[in-house]
Amino acid sequence: VEHATELGPKGIAYLGYGDPFYHVSDLFDQEDFAIRVITEPDFIRQLVDAEFERVRGNLQTMLEALAGHDVPFLFYTAGPERATPPLLSPDVFERLVVPYQTKLVNLIHDAGYPASLHCHGRVRDVLPHAITCGYDVIEPLEPPPQGDIELKDLREVAGDRIALMGYVQDQDFYLLSEAEMRGRIHEI
């Protein structure tokens, strides 16, 4: 809270929260996990259900600690990106992310904060599911070839339901001059 207060009107602080799907996936080798999601869906759902209770409790504790502080936070989670193509189908995102993240995002909104999904890579087929969760923002939205959706299509799918943040290739931050980067941002 103290460091976020220093921002004043100049910014908003990111505050991460857990994702039950991510935590469960982290218990396995990723290849093994991808196979188990398909071959043992009930077992994986039981694990995600149990982990959800822990994540929800942690989030409630964070939100209670912030009560009474007038600090602009943007809550974010990165875990759902493990439920995206090419490793897993959008159906997995819909079944094992949406029900849980919707409840977590609702808790965040009830406390008066916005929520963001940090999701690298191929988001075209999961973007409608992310919007269903109620996120206010999705980022970093990488353009092709790392991502799989053009900015025009992103804007069409998102409409006014979710803010789009990013659309810059990571390596551009390291390889482009300041003038080139400003040009890239202007194009976007």
Side-chain angles (χ1 to χ4, degrees):
V1 173
E2 154 185 344
H3 294 296
T5 305
E6 294 172 15
L7 286 172
K10 297 179 184 175
I12 186 167
Y14 255 25
L15 188 57
Y17 70 96
D19 174 65
F21 181 84
Y22 176 88
H23 292 191
V24 170
S25 75
D26 216 23
L27 298 172
F28 301 88
D29 167 81
Q30 290 308 292
E31 184 177 317
D32 180 41
F33 182 70
I35 292 167
R36 286 175 185 261
V37 164
I38 296 164
T39 62
E40 301 176 60
D42 293 338
F43 172 64
I44 296 299
R45 180 173 290 281
Q46 288 173 345
L47 292 175
V48 175
D49 284 345
E51 186 59 20
F52 170 73
E53 295 304 325
R54 192 185 69 76
V55 169
R56 181 175 54 185
N58 287 346
L59 178 59
Q60 286 174 324
T61 299
M62 290 169 59
L63 293 168
E64 288 167 8
L66 292 174
H69 295 282
D70 188 25
V71 179
F73 282 107
L74 174 59
F75 279 77
Y76 80 96
T77 190
E81 76 180 359
R82 285 206 177 161
T84 61
L87 186 61
L88 295 168
S89 75
D91 174 63
V92 172
F93 194 100
E94 184 178 24
R95 287 185 297 110
L96 295 173
V97 172
V98 171
Y100 306 96
Q101 282 298 322
T102 300
K103 291 174 186 173
L104 297 171
V105 168
N106 285 339
L107 284 174
I108 293 165
H109 286 162
D110 289 347
Y113 295 101
S116 175
L117 171 62
H118 176 89
C119 191
H120 286 271
R122 299 178 180 182
V123 300
R124 173 185 293 280
D125 294 331
V126 298
L127 183 57
H129 300 311
I131 291 170
T132 297
C133 292
Y135 295 110
D136 301 285
V137 178
I138 185 170
E139 54 84 14
L141 295 170
E142 297 161 313
Q146 287 177 312
D148 67 344
I149 187 167
E150 297 291 335
L151 186 55
K152 176 182 162 274
D153 296 327
L154 268 169
R155 292 187 59 182
E156 187 176 303
V157 172
D160 63 354
R161 298 174 294 168
I162 190 168
L164 306 173
M165 183 167 50
Y167 211 71
V168 175
Q169 297 284 5
D170 286 352
Q171 62 269 24
D172 287 352
F173 289 104
Y174 307 105
L175 301 175
L176 300 181
S177 69
E178 182 178 337
E180 290 170 321
M181 189 60 155
R182 287 184 184 277
R184 182 68 46 86
I185 298 304
H186 182 73
E187 288 172 17
I188 294 168

